[in-house]
Amino acid sequence: MSKIVTIQDISCYGQCSITVALPILSAYGIETAILPSAILSTHTGGFKDFTCLDLTAEMPSIVDHWDKEGIKYDAIYTGYIGDTRQFETIRSTRRLLNDEGLLIVDPAMADHGKLYVALNDDIVEGMRTIVREADVILPNLTEAAFLLGQEYQETYSKDYILELLNKLAAMGPRLVILTGVSYEEGRIGAVAYNKETGEITEYFTEKIERSYHGTGDVFSSIAIAEILNKKDIYEILKSACDFVVKCIRKTLPDESHGYGVKFERVLAEKIIG
Ligand code: PXL
């Protein structure tokens, strides 16, 4: 059984970050520890006057204690990071990885061409430092462009996607999974590049014209669970894309529910059937 630690915020309300990652990874039979980076009343997408308790100062002590206890992990999964000092802690947490352990970075910081409201360019720069050390990264198109210091492009060709994948892999990671790729109307999906084999893998599904917060976290949690369960890359992309579409479909009928996706029933159906 794999053991993972996820480093991201606790958004107490809003179906994102740790409240998404924990149940999904657990449902896949992965032992999951958390290194919370902050406690927010809600996520920062659409709620006004959210509260935030920063946990930067506590994080190194937690990691030191784990180290003293001899605790080891098969993977570190990082998500939304709101304070640049935490990137050093993330790098230091790598000492807890087993020999074959993976640093998996979801640079959750932007979407639709814009940084999330509470973030700035220093976070992008910090995110680059952990991307350089990562084994796997899962950016969306906006995050990919920002990591590379490029303008976000709304329309693009296949060559542009291949160029992004190549440049991101050149930063360090051996597997890049780019999300939110759409070459034709009505279809959207993910494209992966494995630097070691040179293999490009794509999976596309129906595009629903409604966007929700937290879908990136749902995608990454499923993909990471499948990676740890040693699925092949096509299965990883298919599982994550299909799961997100099902979650959006479940959420659509409830128009008052715009802050996240109703992933819980979809997860329950996956397990119980
Ligand atoms: O889902 C990404 C995310 C995570 N954590 C916080 C956020 C967001 C997106 O807005 O605000 C606090």
Side-chain angles (χ1 to χ4, degrees):
M1 188 168 118
S2 296
K3 201 185 283 189
I4 193 170
V5 55
T6 186
I7 310 180
Q8 47 187 322
D9 64 282
I10 299 174
S11 283
C12 299
Y13 184 81
Q15 290 169 312
C16 76
S17 42
I18 281 179
T19 62
V20 165
L22 253 182
I24 292 180
L25 291 163
S26 298
Y28 272 80
I30 294 159
E31 181 178 338
T32 308
I34 59 171
L35 182 55
S37 56
I39 302 176
L40 292 92
S41 50
T42 63
H43 62 63
T44 65
F47 294 100
K48 278 206 190 83
D49 301 329
F50 50 84
T51 68
C52 180
L53 174 68
D54 177 66
L55 296 176
T56 305
E58 189 65 13
M59 292 168 75
S61 315
I62 295 172
V63 177
D64 286 346
H65 180 221
W66 288 341
D67 201 9
K68 280 200 199 107
E69 290 287 332
I71 294 166
K72 290 282 181 194
Y73 294 104
D74 300 302
I76 298 168
Y77 157 24
T78 72
Y80 181 99
I81 298 295
D83 188 298
T84 52
R85 293 168 295 169
Q86 295 175 0
F87 293 108
E88 182 51 40
T89 304
I90 291 169
R91 283 196 297 278
S92 148
T93 308
R94 289 181 67 205
R95 72 192 131 115
L96 304 185
L97 279 177
N98 286 322
D99 287 347
E100 302 289 302
L102 302 174
L103 173 59
I104 304 177
V105 173
D106 175 353
M109 58 183 178
D111 209 355
H112 308 294
K114 288 200 190 107
L115 275 179
Y116 294 142
V117 291
L119 305 182
N120 58 34
D121 288 346
D122 293 340
I123 292 290
V124 180
E125 185 47 41
M127 208 57 94
R128 286 184 190 121
T129 66
I130 55 168
V131 162
R132 287 188 197 108
E133 298 191 14
D135 299 283
V136 181
I137 62 168
L138 305 104
N140 61 32
L141 286 176
T142 306
E143 290 153 356
F146 289 3
L147 284 171
L148 295 170
Q150 298 182 187
E151 286 282 304
Y152 168 69
Q153 273 183 233
E154 194 112 16
T155 54
Y156 46 81
S157 62
K158 281 198 180 193
D159 282 348
Y160 170 74
I161 296 300
L162 295 184
E163 184 192 312
L164 286 183
L165 289 167
N166 264 300
K167 285 185 179 168
L168 288 166
M171 287 178 76
R174 58 184 167 74
L175 180 63
V176 179
I177 299 177
L178 195 54
T179 64
V181 179
S182 174
Y183 294 132
E184 54 178 317
E185 217 169 288
R187 309 284 296 165
I188 193 163
V191 185
Y193 174 49
N194 181 326
K195 190 165 65 176
E196 281 164 0
T197 61
E199 193 185 359
I200 298 276
T201 310
E202 306 177 329
Y203 182 80
F204 295 99
T205 177
E206 66 176 309
K207 180 174 182 185
I208 300 166
E209 294 299 336
R210 173 87 204 256
S211 114
Y212 291 94
H213 273 87
T215 48
D217 300 336
V218 172
F219 181 97
S220 290
S221 300
I222 298 278
I224 291 166
E226 298 286 21
I227 289 169
L228 292 183
N229 286 343
K230 306 258 184 300
K231 288 287 167 54
D232 73 47
I233 185 66
Y234 183 79
E235 275 302 315
I236 292 166
L237 300 187
K238 179 172 169 22
S239 241
C241 289
D242 288 349
F243 191 90
V244 169
V245 169
K246 280 189 192 150
C247 293
I248 295 174
R249 286 229 159 280
K250 255 297 181 257
T251 315
L252 272 176
D254 183 353
E255 290 198 7
S256 69
H257 195 108
Y259 51 84
V261 284
K262 300 189 180 195
F263 72 92
E264 298 86 356
R265 297 282 338 148
V266 183
L267 188 58
E269 281 158 22
K270 203 171 168 85
I271 301 165
I272 305 160

